[in-house]
Amino acid sequence: MSGRNTRMAQWLDYRVRVTISDQRMLVGTFMAFDKYMNVVLADCEEFRKIKSKGRKDDEKEVKRTLGFVVLRGETIVSLMAEAPPPSGPKKPEIQPGPGRGQVAGRGMPAAPLSSAPAGLAGPVRGVGGPAAIQMQPKAGALPAPGGAALPPGFPVRPPGTRCRP
């Protein structure tokens, strides 16, 4: 990591105020940055000053909630820390369960098939496809050419057809 990157990394998770080239100020939690100084802010709010039509000296500040924002680096004029990261305890780890998706792999054991909720373990009879009895091979369904017996599973093509590449 270069010197600039380490200096920027120390402000991660801080509440920051970013001034951009059109004089707006964005306040949010500094989540990420890259080599182009593009910045990601969470829980972001925009503040801009509007001049009143009646008086020239009177300015009003308007606040707008933006949420998750990615700022292009070339628009940033300044970035200042407003508040340190919250020092309270982190959110408790929530165990996966019904209604909570969780990635399988990377050290997390895959759930056995028997643990699927009722109705999700496989296809339901009569819904979404042919019945199981229709999927069973029928004895003597395809007669062998010339009446010769073929081993089970041997592919049979009608005469005069070519194999697909």
Side-chain angles (χ1 to χ4, degrees):
M1 214 183 253
S2 72
R4 183 187 316 179
N5 287 347
T6 54
R7 282 182 269 161
M8 287 297 292
Q10 72 181 350
W11 303 112
L12 289 173
D13 294 327
Y14 273 67
R15 194 87 176 144
V16 295
R17 177 179 298 264
V18 180
T19 305
I20 58 177
S21 55
D22 62 0
Q23 304 305 311
R24 286 182 290 170
M25 286 189 288
L26 302 172
V27 177
T29 304
F30 185 34
M31 301 300 291
F33 66 97
D34 65 5
K35 67 181 181 178
Y36 302 106
M37 219 11 225
N38 297 323
V39 168
V40 178
L41 299 175
D43 303 323
C44 186
E45 295 173 327
E46 172 193 68
F47 296 91
R48 58 192 170 107
K49 293 183 179 170
I50 296 178
K51 295 178 183 175
S52 296
K53 293 183 179 178
R55 295 182 180 176
K56 292 182 181 178
D57 300 340
D58 196 21
E59 283 188 341
K60 186 169 68 169
E61 191 170 67
V62 178
K63 173 182 166 183
R64 183 169 68 155
T65 303
L66 299 177
F68 198 76
V69 173
V70 178
L71 273 176
R72 190 174 170 97
E74 65 184 17
T75 65
I76 296 174
V77 175
S78 71
L79 188 142
M80 297 184 310
E82 273 204 340
S87 59
K90 297 278 184 185
K91 292 181 183 176
E93 277 296 316
I94 300 172
Q95 296 299 319
R100 175 155 168 86
Q102 191 73 22
V103 177
R106 295 192 178 216
M108 182 168 178
L113 291 176
S114 62
S115 70
L120 298 178
V124 179
R125 182 177 163 184
V127 176
I133 193 71
Q134 292 175 325
M135 296 300 292
Q136 299 297 323
K138 294 182 176 97
L142 293 174
L150 295 174
F154 190 85
V156 177
R157 287 189 324 268
T161 60
R162 302 177 115 197
C163 292
R164 294 183 192 169

